Amino acid sequence: MTTRSVTLAFFVCVPALLAQPSAQLDRGNRYLGVWVGLSPNSRVGEFAMPHRQLVLIGARAEWVIEASRSVTLAVTSDIVPVAMITRTPTYTTREVVFPGGGTTQLKEQTGNKPVYGAGGMPFGFKLGIGSSPKVRLFGATSVGGLWFTRDVPIPDGRRFNVSFEYGGGIEFGRRNERTIILGYKFHHLSNANTAAVNPGLDSDVIYVGISRPR
């Protein structure tokens, strides 16, 4: 059974186990938080090196725009000051001169090491379900971009990649206090076919975080 299958089963079964009188959140509530996530084995295209890890560190702002007794809808915005992909190819660029005239540049791989970047996920939504006064379930999705110090995930890709993610998790804590967050999200990086190759990078990210009312 894959990680994604286990995660899906978890989020389907937990609501029934936790169903209790809900803790209502109010429209207009705002929250600030920080989180850190790790993908143990990010998947790449057929030309890229396997067994990579993605590390993300971010901060989130959240604003509740709709709320009922047991369900809330919030907009979210994340900044990601630290992004790291392990085992990413390093390369040199050399100029090739054709016999009939004209030149082109080729990138030759010289090794591999972590690559660092930063960016944000400024456009997101979060659906919360109150399952008890101290426990809430949520699902979330967001889109943005990450910029790296060299082409990812392989040479001839792009330094800048569009980022899309979706997932869910559990929040522990009362609405007017600190909240501990445990979650999973599927994270996809793509240069949107703006480069010669676009293998993409798919990651199953497990993350933990903490937030508090603003």
Side-chain angles (χ1 to χ4, degrees), residues 35-93:
W35 53 269
V36 58
L38 169 68
S39 172
N41 188 13
S42 297
R43 302 173 298 282
V44 291
E46 59 179 323
F47 302 108
M49 185 174 298
H51 309 303
R52 296 192 191 181
Q53 295 179 331
L54 172 67
V55 177
L56 299 170
I57 299 176
R60 165 168 287 192
E62 179 181 333
W63 180 29
V64 179
I65 58 174
E66 293 292 342
S68 66
R69 178 173 175 80
S70 59
V71 178
T72 60
L73 178 64
V75 294
T76 63
S77 183
D78 293 79
I79 59 171
V80 183
V82 178
M84 181 185 73
I85 305 173
T86 63
R87 295 174 59 85
T88 301
T90 57
Y91 54 85
T92 59
T93 302

Short mmCIF file of all heavy atoms in Angstrom, two decimals, residues 35-93:
data_model
loop_
_atom_site.label_atom_id
_atom_site.label_comp_id
_atom_site.label_asym_id
_atom_site.label_seq_id
_atom_site.Cartn_x
_atom_site.Cartn_y
_atom_site.Cartn_z
N TRP A 35 5.71 26.33 9.88
CA TRP A 35 5.69 24.89 9.66
C TRP A 35 6.97 24.43 8.98
O TRP A 35 7.69 25.22 8.35
CB TRP A 35 4.48 24.49 8.81
CG TRP A 35 4.34 25.25 7.52
CD1 TRP A 35 3.64 26.41 7.31
CD2 TRP A 35 4.95 24.93 6.27
NE1 TRP A 35 3.77 26.83 6.01
CE2 TRP A 35 4.57 25.95 5.35
CE3 TRP A 35 5.78 23.90 5.84
CZ2 TRP A 35 5.00 25.94 4.02
CZ3 TRP A 35 6.21 23.89 4.51
CH2 TRP A 35 5.80 24.89 3.62
N VAL A 36 7.26 23.14 9.09
CA VAL A 36 8.39 22.53 8.41
C VAL A 36 7.95 21.18 7.87
O VAL A 36 7.21 20.44 8.53
CB VAL A 36 9.60 22.37 9.37
CG1 VAL A 36 9.23 21.53 10.59
CG2 VAL A 36 10.79 21.76 8.63
N GLY A 37 8.35 20.88 6.62
CA GLY A 37 7.92 19.66 5.97
C GLY A 37 9.06 18.92 5.30
O GLY A 37 10.06 19.52 4.89
N LEU A 38 8.92 17.59 5.19
CA LEU A 38 9.93 16.74 4.56
C LEU A 38 9.26 15.69 3.70
O LEU A 38 8.31 15.04 4.12
CB LEU A 38 10.78 16.05 5.63
CG LEU A 38 11.70 14.92 5.14
CD1 LEU A 38 12.81 15.48 4.26
CD2 LEU A 38 12.28 14.14 6.31
N SER A 39 9.78 15.53 2.48
CA SER A 39 9.39 14.42 1.63
C SER A 39 10.54 13.41 1.63
O SER A 39 11.63 13.72 1.14
CB SER A 39 9.13 14.90 0.20
OG SER A 39 8.94 13.79 -0.67
N PRO A 40 10.33 12.20 2.15
CA PRO A 40 11.43 11.24 2.26
C PRO A 40 11.98 10.78 0.91
O PRO A 40 13.15 10.44 0.82
CB PRO A 40 10.80 10.06 3.03
CG PRO A 40 9.60 10.65 3.71
CD PRO A 40 9.11 11.72 2.79
N ASN A 41 11.14 10.76 -0.13
CA ASN A 41 11.60 10.26 -1.43
C ASN A 41 10.78 10.92 -2.54
O ASN A 41 9.73 10.44 -2.94
CB ASN A 41 11.45 8.74 -1.50
CG ASN A 41 12.08 8.16 -2.75
OD1 ASN A 41 12.84 8.84 -3.46
ND2 ASN A 41 11.79 6.91 -3.03
N SER A 42 11.27 12.05 -3.04
CA SER A 42 10.57 12.77 -4.09
C SER A 42 10.81 12.10 -5.44
O SER A 42 11.91 11.65 -5.75
CB SER A 42 11.04 14.23 -4.14
OG SER A 42 10.74 14.89 -2.94
N ARG A 43 9.77 12.05 -6.26
CA ARG A 43 9.82 11.35 -7.54
C ARG A 43 10.06 12.35 -8.67
O ARG A 43 9.49 13.43 -8.69
CB ARG A 43 8.52 10.59 -7.78
CG ARG A 43 8.23 9.59 -6.66
CD ARG A 43 6.87 8.95 -6.81
NE ARG A 43 5.79 9.93 -6.74
CZ ARG A 43 5.35 10.46 -5.60
NH1 ARG A 43 5.91 10.14 -4.46
NH2 ARG A 43 4.36 11.32 -5.63
N VAL A 44 10.90 11.94 -9.62
CA VAL A 44 11.27 12.83 -10.71
C VAL A 44 11.09 12.12 -12.04
O VAL A 44 10.74 10.95 -12.10
CB VAL A 44 12.74 13.28 -10.54
CG1 VAL A 44 12.88 14.20 -9.35
CG2 VAL A 44 13.67 12.08 -10.39
N GLY A 45 11.36 12.84 -13.14
CA GLY A 45 11.21 12.27 -14.48
C GLY A 45 12.26 11.22 -14.78
O GLY A 45 13.21 11.00 -14.03
N GLU A 46 12.14 10.57 -15.94
CA GLU A 46 12.99 9.44 -16.28
C GLU A 46 14.46 9.82 -16.46
O GLU A 46 15.35 8.98 -16.37
CB GLU A 46 12.48 8.79 -17.57
CG GLU A 46 12.45 9.73 -18.76
CD GLU A 46 11.98 9.03 -20.01
OE1 GLU A 46 12.32 7.84 -20.18
OE2 GLU A 46 11.27 9.66 -20.81
N PHE A 47 14.74 11.10 -16.70
CA PHE A 47 16.13 11.53 -16.89
C PHE A 47 16.76 12.03 -15.60
O PHE A 47 17.91 12.44 -15.60
CB PHE A 47 16.20 12.63 -17.95
CG PHE A 47 15.63 12.21 -19.27
CD1 PHE A 47 14.43 12.72 -19.72
CD2 PHE A 47 16.28 11.29 -20.06
CE1 PHE A 47 13.89 12.34 -20.93
CE2 PHE A 47 15.76 10.88 -21.28
CZ PHE A 47 14.56 11.41 -21.71
N ALA A 48 16.04 12.05 -14.51
CA ALA A 48 16.54 12.65 -13.27
C ALA A 48 16.96 11.59 -12.27
O ALA A 48 16.54 10.44 -12.34
CB ALA A 48 15.47 13.56 -12.66
N MET A 49 17.80 11.98 -11.33
CA MET A 49 18.32 11.07 -10.33
C MET A 49 17.24 10.73 -9.30
O MET A 49 16.56 11.62 -8.80
CB MET A 49 19.52 11.71 -9.65
CG MET A 49 20.23 10.80 -8.66
SD MET A 49 21.73 11.61 -8.05
CE MET A 49 22.65 11.77 -9.58
N PRO A 50 17.07 9.44 -8.98
CA PRO A 50 16.05 9.05 -7.99
C PRO A 50 16.51 9.30 -6.57
O PRO A 50 17.64 9.72 -6.32
CB PRO A 50 15.88 7.55 -8.27
CG PRO A 50 17.23 7.12 -8.76
CD PRO A 50 17.76 8.29 -9.55
N HIS A 51 15.61 8.99 -5.62
CA HIS A 51 15.90 9.03 -4.19
C HIS A 51 16.27 10.43 -3.71
O HIS A 51 17.22 10.61 -2.95
CB HIS A 51 17.01 8.04 -3.84
CG HIS A 51 16.77 6.67 -4.37
ND1 HIS A 51 15.63 5.95 -4.06
CD2 HIS A 51 17.51 5.90 -5.20
CE1 HIS A 51 15.69 4.77 -4.67
NE2 HIS A 51 16.81 4.73 -5.38
N ARG A 52 15.53 11.41 -4.13
CA ARG A 52 15.75 12.77 -3.64
C ARG A 52 14.80 13.07 -2.49
O ARG A 52 13.76 12.45 -2.33
CB ARG A 52 15.51 13.78 -4.74
CG ARG A 52 16.48 13.66 -5.89
CD ARG A 52 16.38 14.87 -6.78
NE ARG A 52 17.09 14.66 -8.02
CZ ARG A 52 17.18 15.57 -8.97
NH1 ARG A 52 16.58 16.73 -8.83
NH2 ARG A 52 17.84 15.32 -10.07
N GLN A 53 15.17 14.08 -1.70
CA GLN A 53 14.32 14.56 -0.62
C GLN A 53 14.05 16.05 -0.81
O GLN A 53 14.92 16.79 -1.26
CB GLN A 53 14.98 14.32 0.74
CG GLN A 53 15.15 12.86 1.08
CD GLN A 53 15.82 12.66 2.41
OE1 GLN A 53 16.62 13.48 2.85
NE2 GLN A 53 15.51 11.56 3.09
N LEU A 54 12.83 16.45 -0.48
CA LEU A 54 12.45 17.85 -0.52
C LEU A 54 12.20 18.33 0.90
O LEU A 54 11.44 17.70 1.65
CB LEU A 54 11.18 18.04 -1.36
CG LEU A 54 10.54 19.43 -1.33
CD1 LEU A 54 11.45 20.44 -2.03
CD2 LEU A 54 9.16 19.41 -1.99
N VAL A 55 12.84 19.43 1.27
CA VAL A 55 12.64 20.05 2.59
C VAL A 55 12.07 21.44 2.37
O VAL A 55 12.58 22.21 1.56
CB VAL A 55 13.97 20.14 3.37
CG1 VAL A 55 13.74 20.84 4.71
CG2 VAL A 55 14.57 18.75 3.58
N LEU A 56 11.01 21.76 3.11
CA LEU A 56 10.36 23.07 3.02
C LEU A 56 10.17 23.64 4.42
O LEU A 56 9.74 22.92 5.34
CB LEU A 56 8.99 22.96 2.33
CG LEU A 56 8.96 22.45 0.89
CD1 LEU A 56 7.53 22.17 0.47
CD2 LEU A 56 9.63 23.44 -0.04
N ILE A 57 10.48 24.91 4.58
CA ILE A 57 10.20 25.63 5.83
C ILE A 57 9.42 26.88 5.46
O ILE A 57 9.83 27.64 4.57
CB ILE A 57 11.49 26.03 6.56
CG1 ILE A 57 12.30 24.77 6.93
CG2 ILE A 57 11.18 26.83 7.82
CD1 ILE A 57 13.64 25.07 7.56
N GLY A 58 8.27 27.07 6.11
CA GLY A 58 7.41 28.18 5.72
C GLY A 58 6.68 28.83 6.87
O GLY A 58 6.69 28.36 8.01
N ALA A 59 6.03 29.94 6.53
CA ALA A 59 5.16 30.65 7.46
C ALA A 59 3.83 30.90 6.76
O ALA A 59 3.81 31.19 5.55
CB ALA A 59 5.78 31.97 7.89
N ARG A 60 2.74 30.81 7.50
CA ARG A 60 1.41 30.91 6.90
C ARG A 60 0.55 31.95 7.60
O ARG A 60 0.54 32.05 8.82
CB ARG A 60 0.69 29.56 6.96
CG ARG A 60 -0.81 29.63 6.69
CD ARG A 60 -1.43 28.28 6.46
NE ARG A 60 -1.06 27.75 5.14
CZ ARG A 60 -1.64 26.70 4.57
NH1 ARG A 60 -2.61 26.05 5.20
NH2 ARG A 60 -1.26 26.29 3.38
N ALA A 61 -0.19 32.72 6.78
CA ALA A 61 -1.25 33.59 7.26
C ALA A 61 -2.58 33.00 6.80
O ALA A 61 -2.70 32.56 5.65
CB ALA A 61 -1.08 35.00 6.71
N GLU A 62 -3.55 33.00 7.68
CA GLU A 62 -4.85 32.38 7.40
C GLU A 62 -5.97 33.30 7.85
O GLU A 62 -5.91 33.89 8.93
CB GLU A 62 -4.92 31.04 8.14
CG GLU A 62 -6.21 30.28 7.98
CD GLU A 62 -6.19 28.99 8.78
OE1 GLU A 62 -5.09 28.43 9.01
OE2 GLU A 62 -7.27 28.53 9.20
N TRP A 63 -7.00 33.41 7.02
CA TRP A 63 -8.12 34.29 7.30
C TRP A 63 -9.41 33.54 7.02
O TRP A 63 -9.65 33.10 5.90
CB TRP A 63 -8.04 35.55 6.45
CG TRP A 63 -9.16 36.54 6.66
CD1 TRP A 63 -9.88 36.73 7.79
CD2 TRP A 63 -9.67 37.46 5.70
NE1 TRP A 63 -10.81 37.71 7.61
CE2 TRP A 63 -10.70 38.18 6.33
CE3 TRP A 63 -9.34 37.76 4.37
CZ2 TRP A 63 -11.43 39.16 5.66
CZ3 TRP A 63 -10.06 38.73 3.71
CH2 TRP A 63 -11.09 39.43 4.36
N VAL A 64 -10.25 33.37 8.04
CA VAL A 64 -11.53 32.67 7.89
C VAL A 64 -12.53 33.58 7.18
O VAL A 64 -12.83 34.68 7.66
CB VAL A 64 -12.08 32.24 9.27
CG1 VAL A 64 -13.43 31.54 9.11
CG2 VAL A 64 -11.09 31.32 9.98
N ILE A 65 -13.04 33.13 6.03
CA ILE A 65 -13.98 33.94 5.26
C ILE A 65 -15.42 33.46 5.38
O ILE A 65 -16.35 34.23 5.12
CB ILE A 65 -13.57 34.01 3.78
CG1 ILE A 65 -13.49 32.61 3.17
CG2 ILE A 65 -12.24 34.75 3.63
CD1 ILE A 65 -13.23 32.61 1.67
N GLU A 66 -15.61 32.20 5.76
CA GLU A 66 -16.95 31.67 6.00
C GLU A 66 -16.89 30.69 7.16
O GLU A 66 -15.91 29.94 7.29
CB GLU A 66 -17.51 30.96 4.76
CG GLU A 66 -17.80 31.87 3.57
CD GLU A 66 -18.95 32.84 3.83
OE1 GLU A 66 -19.75 32.57 4.78
OE2 GLU A 66 -19.07 33.84 3.10
N ALA A 67 -17.94 30.68 7.98
CA ALA A 67 -17.94 29.79 9.13
C ALA A 67 -19.35 29.41 9.51
O ALA A 67 -20.26 30.24 9.52
CB ALA A 67 -17.24 30.45 10.32
N SER A 68 -19.55 28.12 9.79
CA SER A 68 -20.80 27.62 10.36
C SER A 68 -20.45 26.89 11.66
O SER A 68 -19.32 27.00 12.15
CB SER A 68 -21.49 26.67 9.38
OG SER A 68 -20.72 25.50 9.18
N ARG A 69 -21.38 26.16 12.19
CA ARG A 69 -21.14 25.49 13.47
C ARG A 69 -19.99 24.49 13.39
O ARG A 69 -19.21 24.36 14.33
CB ARG A 69 -22.42 24.79 13.94
CG ARG A 69 -22.24 24.04 15.25
CD ARG A 69 -23.55 23.52 15.76
NE ARG A 69 -23.35 22.71 16.95
CZ ARG A 69 -23.16 23.20 18.17
NH1 ARG A 69 -23.15 24.51 18.35
NH2 ARG A 69 -22.97 22.39 19.20
N SER A 70 -19.86 23.78 12.27
CA SER A 70 -18.86 22.72 12.20
C SER A 70 -17.91 22.82 11.02
O SER A 70 -16.98 22.03 10.92
CB SER A 70 -19.56 21.35 12.16
OG SER A 70 -20.41 21.28 11.03
N VAL A 71 -18.14 23.78 10.13
CA VAL A 71 -17.31 23.89 8.92
C VAL A 71 -16.83 25.32 8.75
O VAL A 71 -17.59 26.27 8.95
CB VAL A 71 -18.08 23.45 7.66
CG1 VAL A 71 -17.22 23.60 6.41
CG2 VAL A 71 -18.56 22.01 7.80
N THR A 72 -15.55 25.47 8.37
CA THR A 72 -15.00 26.79 8.09
C THR A 72 -14.27 26.78 6.76
O THR A 72 -13.73 25.74 6.34
CB THR A 72 -14.00 27.24 9.18
OG1 THR A 72 -12.91 26.32 9.24
CG2 THR A 72 -14.68 27.33 10.53
N LEU A 73 -14.26 27.92 6.09
CA LEU A 73 -13.50 28.10 4.86
C LEU A 73 -12.58 29.29 5.05
O LEU A 73 -13.03 30.38 5.45
CB LEU A 73 -14.43 28.33 3.67
CG LEU A 73 -13.72 28.58 2.33
CD1 LEU A 73 -12.93 27.35 1.90
CD2 LEU A 73 -14.73 28.98 1.26
N ALA A 74 -11.30 29.09 4.80
CA ALA A 74 -10.31 30.16 4.98
C ALA A 74 -9.46 30.30 3.74
O ALA A 74 -9.26 29.34 2.98
CB ALA A 74 -9.42 29.85 6.18
N VAL A 75 -8.97 31.51 3.51
CA VAL A 75 -7.95 31.73 2.49
C VAL A 75 -6.60 31.74 3.19
O VAL A 75 -6.49 32.16 4.34
CB VAL A 75 -8.18 33.05 1.72
CG1 VAL A 75 -9.45 32.97 0.91
CG2 VAL A 75 -8.22 34.24 2.67
N THR A 76 -5.58 31.25 2.49
CA THR A 76 -4.26 31.13 3.08
C THR A 76 -3.20 31.73 2.17
O THR A 76 -3.39 31.82 0.95
CB THR A 76 -3.89 29.67 3.37
OG1 THR A 76 -3.83 28.95 2.12
CG2 THR A 76 -4.92 29.02 4.28
N SER A 77 -2.10 32.13 2.76
CA SER A 77 -0.95 32.63 2.02
C SER A 77 0.32 32.21 2.75
O SER A 77 0.46 32.48 3.94
CB SER A 77 -1.01 34.15 1.88
OG SER A 77 0.05 34.64 1.09
N ASP A 78 1.22 31.54 2.03
CA ASP A 78 2.46 31.05 2.63
C ASP A 78 3.68 31.70 2.00
O ASP A 78 3.71 31.91 0.78
CB ASP A 78 2.59 29.53 2.44
CG ASP A 78 1.55 28.75 3.21
OD1 ASP A 78 0.39 28.67 2.74
OD2 ASP A 78 1.89 28.20 4.26
N ILE A 79 4.67 31.99 2.82
CA ILE A 79 5.99 32.31 2.31
C ILE A 79 6.90 31.14 2.65
O ILE A 79 6.74 30.50 3.70
CB ILE A 79 6.55 33.63 2.89
CG1 ILE A 79 6.63 33.56 4.43
CG2 ILE A 79 5.72 34.82 2.46
CD1 ILE A 79 7.37 34.74 5.03
N VAL A 80 7.82 30.83 1.74
CA VAL A 80 8.73 29.70 1.93
C VAL A 80 10.16 30.23 1.82
O VAL A 80 10.73 30.27 0.72
CB VAL A 80 8.47 28.60 0.88
CG1 VAL A 80 9.38 27.40 1.13
CG2 VAL A 80 7.01 28.16 0.91
N PRO A 81 10.75 30.66 2.93
CA PRO A 81 12.11 31.22 2.87
C PRO A 81 13.17 30.17 2.65
O PRO A 81 14.29 30.50 2.25
CB PRO A 81 12.26 31.90 4.22
CG PRO A 81 11.33 31.16 5.13
CD PRO A 81 10.16 30.76 4.27
N VAL A 82 12.86 28.89 2.93
CA VAL A 82 13.84 27.82 2.76
C VAL A 82 13.20 26.66 2.01
O VAL A 82 12.18 26.11 2.44
CB VAL A 82 14.37 27.31 4.12
CG1 VAL A 82 15.35 26.15 3.90
CG2 VAL A 82 15.05 28.43 4.89
N ALA A 83 13.79 26.30 0.87
CA ALA A 83 13.43 25.10 0.13
C ALA A 83 14.72 24.40 -0.28
O ALA A 83 15.66 25.06 -0.74
CB ALA A 83 12.60 25.45 -1.11
N MET A 84 14.79 23.10 -0.10
CA MET A 84 15.99 22.36 -0.46
C MET A 84 15.62 21.04 -1.13
O MET A 84 14.74 20.33 -0.66
CB MET A 84 16.85 22.07 0.78
CG MET A 84 18.14 21.31 0.46
SD MET A 84 19.08 20.83 1.94
CE MET A 84 18.06 19.50 2.58
N ILE A 85 16.30 20.74 -2.22
CA ILE A 85 16.14 19.46 -2.91
C ILE A 85 17.50 18.78 -2.89
O ILE A 85 18.49 19.33 -3.39
CB ILE A 85 15.67 19.62 -4.36
CG1 ILE A 85 14.38 20.43 -4.42
CG2 ILE A 85 15.46 18.25 -5.01
CD1 ILE A 85 13.94 20.79 -5.84
N THR A 86 17.58 17.58 -2.32
CA THR A 86 18.85 16.86 -2.25
C THR A 86 19.16 16.18 -3.58
O THR A 86 18.30 16.02 -4.45
CB THR A 86 18.81 15.81 -1.14
OG1 THR A 86 17.81 14.82 -1.44
CG2 THR A 86 18.47 16.44 0.21
N ARG A 87 20.41 15.76 -3.74
CA ARG A 87 20.88 14.99 -4.90
C ARG A 87 20.47 15.62 -6.24
O ARG A 87 19.99 14.94 -7.13
CB ARG A 87 20.37 13.55 -4.80
CG ARG A 87 20.93 12.78 -3.63
CD ARG A 87 20.29 11.41 -3.49
NE ARG A 87 20.47 10.58 -4.67
CZ ARG A 87 21.55 9.82 -4.92
NH1 ARG A 87 22.55 9.82 -4.07
NH2 ARG A 87 21.61 9.07 -6.01
N THR A 88 20.66 16.92 -6.34
CA THR A 88 20.34 17.63 -7.57
C THR A 88 21.61 17.83 -8.39
O THR A 88 22.64 18.26 -7.85
CB THR A 88 19.70 18.99 -7.25
OG1 THR A 88 18.51 18.76 -6.48
CG2 THR A 88 19.34 19.74 -8.52
N PRO A 89 21.59 17.53 -9.70
CA PRO A 89 22.81 17.60 -10.51
C PRO A 89 23.45 18.99 -10.50
O PRO A 89 22.77 20.01 -10.56
CB PRO A 89 22.32 17.24 -11.92
CG PRO A 89 21.09 16.41 -11.69
CD PRO A 89 20.45 17.00 -10.47
N THR A 90 24.78 19.01 -10.41
CA THR A 90 25.57 20.21 -10.67
C THR A 90 26.09 20.11 -12.10
O THR A 90 26.19 19.01 -12.66
CB THR A 90 26.73 20.34 -9.68
OG1 THR A 90 27.55 19.16 -9.76
CG2 THR A 90 26.20 20.48 -8.26
N TYR A 91 26.44 21.23 -12.69
CA TYR A 91 26.83 21.20 -14.11
C TYR A 91 27.71 22.40 -14.45
O TYR A 91 27.77 23.39 -13.73
CB TYR A 91 25.59 21.19 -15.00
CG TYR A 91 24.63 22.32 -14.72
CD1 TYR A 91 24.80 23.57 -15.31
CD2 TYR A 91 23.55 22.14 -13.85
CE1 TYR A 91 23.93 24.62 -15.03
CE2 TYR A 91 22.69 23.18 -13.57
CZ TYR A 91 22.87 24.41 -14.16
OH TYR A 91 22.02 25.45 -13.89
N THR A 92 28.40 22.26 -15.56
CA THR A 92 29.13 23.37 -16.15
C THR A 92 28.54 23.64 -17.53
O THR A 92 27.97 22.74 -18.16
CB THR A 92 30.63 23.06 -16.30
OG1 THR A 92 30.79 21.89 -17.12
CG2 THR A 92 31.25 22.81 -14.94
N THR A 93 28.68 24.86 -17.98
CA THR A 93 28.17 25.25 -19.30
C THR A 93 29.35 25.54 -20.23
O THR A 93 30.25 26.30 -19.88
CB THR A 93 27.28 26.51 -19.18
OG1 THR A 93 26.21 26.23 -18.28
CG2 THR A 93 26.70 26.89 -20.54
#
